[in-house]
Amino acid sequence: RWFFLDDPGVPLRRSLIPLALSGLFMGLAIASKWIGIYAGAGLAILFFWHCFRMLRLNHSADPALHGTRGSTAVSDRRRLFTIWAWCILFFVVVPIIIYLLSYIPYMAYNTRRIHSIGDYLSEVWRAQTGMLNYHSTPNLGMDHPFYSPWWEWPIIGKPMYYASQQYLPSDYPVHHSIFCFGNPAVWWVGILGVFCVLCCYVYRHFYARDDLRGYFHLDAASWSINPAFLLISLLAQFLPWVLVPRGTYIYHYFASVPFLILANTLSLKWLGEKWEKAGRITLIVYLCVCLAFFVLLFPYASGITVSYDWLDLGKMFLRIYYALPT
């Protein structure tokens, strides 16, 4: 939202609101799980990319690209520096405060060792080093039967089995199972959707204007930012896991799934714009397939009891199973 509001014609106070909210939610995300740091890195890339793009726009001499900006280059730079100063508060100070406050319940039991703010900060730092040492231990957890490297996640190469206890008698006609996996209609098609977004970003969406389409230029005032925003956000959540030396599992991919859904949505939107009837039919069929897979695989994700015949269907699509009662 800030991308669309950050313009010299918009009051600075109004454009700062989405930035402040971004910093707030980034702090909450990091305080919940460290993958919020990955998202923060993606936000930083998006932020500076937008700043670079706006500076190039302001220096463009082509009226067709430059538009009708009334402010001078000096005032634009001053506005940019002001935004940077606010971002130190929004994206550095506020997330650090949130992160430190989030440890209060965790440290509540440790009152014997914590007698000052310094002691508190020391204990928080000790927790960080412990987590970092765990995540940076090479090959840790790779002997787990459901260890799954990053390249298996998009194809649902190894779902993770959660339910291991048996609560039903052996003569019951129903059984249960709980697995961690994704909807194939979303995950498998999502690979194609991301590829489509990448191709459209490179070959089609350089400029939104018809008279300039087909030319790559960073100074386009009407350049669509949606494909780049989606791709950078997805890579920020997915690529860091490639570098993690310890064992990983399929649930680490879940933070990337919203961007797969957006990639599919954007691809279907473009298809409907190009071929309206074919796009509408494709959308209906795709949603029906998503719903069918959801109904078929819901027992595996929820643990509800269903017949053995139903559970056997899961073996036809994914490497998911259930333990027979003894």
Side-chain angles (χ1 to χ4, degrees), residues 131-324:
M131 288 189 289
L132 182 61
N133 291 335
Y134 171 80
H135 288 293
S136 59
T137 302
N139 303 321
L140 179 65
M142 288 187 178
D143 57 344
H144 194 283
F146 293 102
Y147 159 70
S148 179
W150 59 270
W151 52 267
E152 284 187 338
W153 303 341
I155 60 173
I156 320 180
K158 186 177 290 185
M160 190 171 188
Y161 190 42
Y162 280 166
S164 59
Q165 299 296 324
Q166 306 303 320
Y167 302 104
L168 299 174
S170 58
D171 57 347
Y172 262 46
V174 295
H175 198 57
H176 68 89
S177 183
I178 302 178
F179 266 84
C180 176
F181 62 98
N183 188 321
V186 176
W187 288 32
W188 293 347
V189 177
I191 301 174
L192 180 62
V194 171
F195 180 75
C196 177
V197 171
L198 177 62
C199 290
C200 288
Y201 171 73
V202 175
Y203 295 108
R204 178 182 173 187
H205 282 267
F206 300 147
Y207 291 95
R209 289 176 44 174
D210 292 335
D211 57 330
L212 297 174
R213 183 169 295 160
Y215 296 91
F216 186 82
H217 205 289
L218 292 176
D219 296 339
S222 54
W223 188 18
S224 175
I225 65 173
N226 292 334
F229 183 91
L230 194 154
L231 292 171
I232 293 174
S233 300
L234 172 63
L235 292 176
Q237 286 298 325
F238 184 66
L239 283 184
W241 290 110
V242 178
L243 306 176
V244 173
R246 74 171 182 87
T248 53
Y249 308 95
I250 193 171
Y251 57 75
H252 290 133
Y253 189 56
F254 281 1
S256 303
V257 174
F259 302 108
L260 293 183
I261 297 173
L262 290 176
N264 294 340
T265 304
L266 202 55
S267 300
L268 289 168
K269 175 178 179 293
W270 290 334
L271 180 63
E273 291 175 349
K274 185 70 173 180
W275 297 288
E276 183 177 355
K277 184 176 181 179
R280 186 183 303 111
I281 295 175
T282 303
L283 174 62
I284 295 174
V285 172
Y286 176 66
L287 292 178
C288 290
V289 173
C290 290
L291 180 60
F293 270 111
F294 175 81
V295 173
L296 172 65
L297 299 174
F298 182 74
Y300 283 100
S302 63
I304 63 174
T305 54
V306 293
S307 67
Y308 285 97
D309 292 336
W310 189 312
L311 291 176
D312 286 337
L313 290 174
K315 299 178 183 179
M316 299 173 56
F317 301 101
L318 301 171
R319 294 171 55 186
I320 52 180
Y321 58 89
Y322 54 94
L324 291 175

Side-chain angles (χ1 to χ4, degrees), residues 31 99-111 113-114 120 123-128 130-131:
Y99 194 81
L100 292 176
L101 292 177
S102 70
Y103 271 86
I104 291 178
Y106 179 73
M107 296 297 180
Y109 76 97
N110 208 7
T111 54
R113 289 198 302 176
I114 299 178
Y120 180 81
E123 290 298 320
V124 172
W125 179 256
R126 181 180 301 179
Q128 310 314 300
M131 288 189 289

